[in-house]
Amino acid sequence: MITNTETYHIPVLLQESIDGLDIKPDGVYVDVTFGGGGHSTEILRRLGPNGRLYSFDQDEDAENNILNDNRFTFVRSNFRYLRNWMRYYGEEHIDGLLADLGVSSHHFDDETRGFSFRFDAPLDMRMNKRSGTTAAEIIKNYDEDQLADVLYLYGELKNARKIASAITKARVGKDIMTTGDLIQAIEKLIPREREKKELAKVFQALRIEVNHEMEALKDMLNGAKEVLCEGGRLSVITYHSLEDRIVKNIMKTGNAEGKVKQDFFGRTEAPFRQINGKVIIPSDQEQEQNPRSRSAKLRIAEKI
């Protein structure tokens, strides 16, 4: 029997992403972004009594949503270690993997975690509160060039260098410890008419750096290439161009850089066959009901 605490995150593209897995009742599946358990619950609904589901989450808050089902295993870990954990559980191959990337609505709504500029909170931003470097520590210890690189690469901010300069000047004699401190340090460089979008980019850049999101995503997808069986499905939901580019490239070419490799006969070597020619986006109704879904893109591929 499936039981769950009150879901703290509305799953995006729920039916479309699970349909994309083409679930076999006795198959082995992985949800690498458990969160509130919405996607995992739907996978379990479609599995038979001999099916298996492993769900990953490194955030201890997600443990409150663990599902009471003997077909379900919760893995307290970053999904970048997918291969190691599948080996640990004796699963040589899996039939499908789902990833709903980005940050859950729970994280944005938690006033204590520092993910949102809506609240004055400690600059933490760690997905795993038990370890790692906080956003406050990055702002304190990175030099101006390092901060500028983070803001430009992960926030795609055109004025990244000016923002980095403002931060390094503001931290002289005073630690920037809260989201309010950070906003105060850079507010003169943020156009009022684009305030929410620009601040979102700053916070996104720091969050990605704190959690090493791009490196973890590459490790997970490379692990998926190895553990998916022939015909196994990969269903991935992205929310910004950086992660979407990595997913698209690995699905098309097998590597994050998108470098096409050919065999002796000139045939393109790729580990996946893309199922949806165009990305799948949420319906107008879903976007209206769940604002987080507005930037979502779903890509589905099959292991060759």
Side-chain angles (χ1 to χ4, degrees), residues 150-204:
V150 167
L151 294 167
Y152 182 75
L153 291 172
Y154 297 149
E156 300 180 294
L157 287 151
K158 294 179 181 178
N159 60 342
R161 193 156 296 284
K162 290 182 178 179
I163 293 175
S165 176
I167 290 172
T168 54
K169 288 175 182 176
R171 73 189 184 189
V172 175
K174 177 191 175 183
D175 288 338
I176 298 175
M177 299 299 295
T178 69
T179 56
D181 292 339
L182 175 58
I183 292 170
Q184 185 178 11
I186 65 176
E187 60 185 351
K188 291 182 180 179
L189 296 171
I190 305 296
R192 185 66 61 184
E193 66 276 9
R194 299 199 309 273
E195 184 178 38
K196 288 184 178 179
K197 287 187 177 180
E198 294 298 294
L199 284 176
K201 290 180 179 180
V202 172
F203 276 64
Q204 171 184 291

Side-chain angles (χ1 to χ4, degrees), residues 1 23 54 62 76 81 119-120 160 207 210 217 224 226 232 253 266 273 287:
M1 178 181 178
I23 290 176
Y54 297 89
R76 296 171 177 83
Y81 305 114
F119 313 111
D120 189 10
R207 188 201 79 224
V210 165
L217 177 58
E226 294 189 21
T253 67
R273 177 178 67 87
Q287 291 185 46

Side-chain angles (χ1 to χ4, degrees), residues 91-104:
E91 301 290 358
E92 186 175 347
H93 291 105
I94 64 174
D95 296 284
L97 182 148
L98 179 137
D100 180 9
L101 304 175
V103 182
S104 74

Side-chain angles (χ1 to χ4, degrees), residues 282-302:
S283 65
D284 292 341
Q285 182 180 3
E286 180 174 358
Q287 291 185 46
E288 184 177 343
Q289 294 175 345
N290 184 8
R292 179 178 179 268
S293 72
R294 291 172 185 166
S295 60
K297 295 179 179 179
L298 169 64
R299 295 183 185 274
I300 304 165
E302 182 177 87

Side-chain angles (χ1 to χ4, degrees), residues 10-206:
I10 302 171
V12 173
L13 289 162
L14 178 61
Q15 298 302 322
E16 296 90 340
S17 60
I18 307 301
D19 287 346
L21 290 176
D22 192 25
I23 290 176
K24 302 172 184 176
D26 59 348
V28 178
Y29 293 87
V30 176
D31 176 358
V32 295
T33 47
F34 177 69
H39 287 102
S40 286
T41 298
E42 184 61 26
I43 292 172
L44 286 170
R45 284 199 182 108
R46 302 190 191 194
L47 283 177
N50 296 319
R52 292 291 306 165
L53 172 64
Y54 297 89
S55 293
F56 284 66
D57 209 299
Q58 61 182 324
D59 189 346
E60 64 186 57
D61 288 356
E63 297 177 22
N64 296 321
N65 304 319
I66 289 177
L67 305 173
N68 181 21
D69 190 298
N70 58 15
R71 301 166 298 171
F72 174 80
T73 300
F74 183 78
V75 184
R76 296 171 177 83
S77 175
N78 189 308
F79 61 41
R80 72 188 307 169
Y81 305 114
L82 169 70
R83 280 176 292 189
N84 293 345
W85 281 106
M86 290 300 96
R87 191 180 303 120
Y88 174 80
Y89 284 111
E91 301 290 358
E92 186 175 347
H93 291 105
I94 64 174
D95 296 284
L97 182 148
L98 179 137
D100 180 9
L101 304 175
V103 182
S104 74
S105 49
H106 166 74
H107 289 124
F108 282 128
D109 293 338
D110 187 338
E111 299 182 18
T112 68
R113 303 287 291 273
F115 286 101
S116 174
F117 53 82
R118 291 181 292 144
F119 313 111
D120 189 10
L123 273 169
D124 193 319
M125 298 193 190
R126 292 173 298 168
M127 296 289 189
N128 181 355
K129 294 184 289 184
R130 292 165 283 203
S131 65
T133 302
T134 67
E137 290 169 330
I138 285 173
I139 286 173
K140 179 180 180 179
N141 297 321
Y142 279 27
D143 64 30
E144 186 174 322
D145 286 341
Q146 288 176 303
L147 284 173
D149 287 345
V150 167
L151 294 167
Y152 182 75
L153 291 172
Y154 297 149
E156 300 180 294
L157 287 151
K158 294 179 181 178
N159 60 342
R161 193 156 296 284
K162 290 182 178 179
I163 293 175
S165 176
I167 290 172
T168 54
K169 288 175 182 176
R171 73 189 184 189
V172 175
K174 177 191 175 183
D175 288 338
I176 298 175
M177 299 299 295
T178 69
T179 56
D181 292 339
L182 175 58
I183 292 170
Q184 185 178 11
I186 65 176
E187 60 185 351
K188 291 182 180 179
L189 296 171
I190 305 296
R192 185 66 61 184
E193 66 276 9
R194 299 199 309 273
E195 184 178 38
K196 288 184 178 179
K197 287 187 177 180
E198 294 298 294
L199 284 176
K201 290 180 179 180
V202 172
F203 276 64
Q204 171 184 291
L206 288 170

